[in-house]
Amino acid sequence: MKRKHTLILLVLFLSLLFTVDSALAAMVAIKGDDINMRSGPGTKYKVLWKLDSGFPLKILKKKGSWYRVQDFEGTIGWVHRNVTTRKGHMIVDVNKKSQKRVNVRSGPGTNNRIVAKAYYGVVFRTLKQKSGWVQVEHEKGVRGWIKRSLVWGF
């Protein structure tokens, strides 16, 4: 009986491990600028949006060499897998329709100095995550930490 319980626990642990791994693998970012997000999985479908480098997307489905994706605002479309990367990126996801900006800090915590500020929709490359904070770098060279709850991505 004890052996059966151990086997069940092992199976549950392994299934949890694979679930977490597949959830983490379900994100991509755009590689390149002016990339089409389309209404269907092919070039004959209407272009919904033009996306730029680093824009993070959640993969919902795969069909051939196309990904059905969702962005941080909930828009769903299709992108070709060749224009994506698994390198982590984050986008500022707060203060929409506002002039308020989020603080980019020198370290992971509100007691660290502010090195920059960012508006809604600004994209950063993800460097690492620590204790509810994300170390990020902007394409223009700004590097710092943002509270994880203020950004969307991986």
Side-chain angles (χ1 to χ4, degrees):
M1 189 68 157
K2 184 173 175 132
R3 202 171 193 187
K4 186 177 180 181
H5 288 317
T6 303
L7 182 61
I8 291 170
L9 285 174
L10 180 62
V11 169
L12 287 172
F13 174 76
L14 289 174
S15 64
L16 177 63
L17 183 65
F18 287 116
T19 302
V20 169
D21 185 49
S22 64
L24 292 175
M27 295 289 291
V28 292
I30 293 297
K31 179 174 63 176
D33 288 322
D34 210 29
I35 302 299
N36 296 328
M37 177 192 270
R38 296 183 174 273
S39 62
T43 56
K44 67 181 183 234
Y45 291 93
K46 180 176 122 183
V47 174
L48 301 174
W49 293 103
K50 296 278 190 177
L51 305 174
D52 287 329
S53 186
F55 196 90
L57 298 165
K58 179 179 179 181
I59 298 174
L60 303 175
K61 180 180 178 179
K62 296 176 186 177
K63 184 172 184 179
S65 54
W66 289 83
Y67 295 143
R68 185 171 187 251
V69 294
Q70 182 175 8
D71 73 9
F72 76 114
E73 293 183 317
T75 302
I76 295 174
W78 293 82
V79 295
H80 195 275
R81 73 172 177 218
N82 288 348
V83 299
T84 67
T85 179
R86 297 279 180 175
K87 292 180 182 172
H89 285 77
M90 299 276 180
I91 189 165
V92 177
D93 189 27
V94 294
N95 301 329
K96 186 176 182 177
K97 297 181 181 177
S98 165
Q99 292 300 309
K100 290 176 109 181
R101 298 176 293 170
V102 300
N103 296 326
V104 181
R105 297 184 176 273
S106 62
T110 55
N111 58 332
N112 292 288
R113 70 181 170 80
I114 297 169
V115 297
K117 292 183 177 262
Y119 288 104
Y120 177 84
V122 172
V123 174
F124 292 92
R125 184 168 61 96
T126 305
L127 301 177
K128 65 181 165 182
Q129 298 190 45
K130 178 181 179 182
S131 304
W133 289 80
V134 183
Q135 186 182 32
V136 296
E137 183 174 50
H138 190 267
E139 66 180 2
K140 296 194 176 179
V142 173
R143 183 183 273 211
W145 293 82
I146 300 176
K147 188 156 181 56
R148 178 66 176 97
S149 61
L150 304 176
V151 291
W152 185 90
F154 67 113

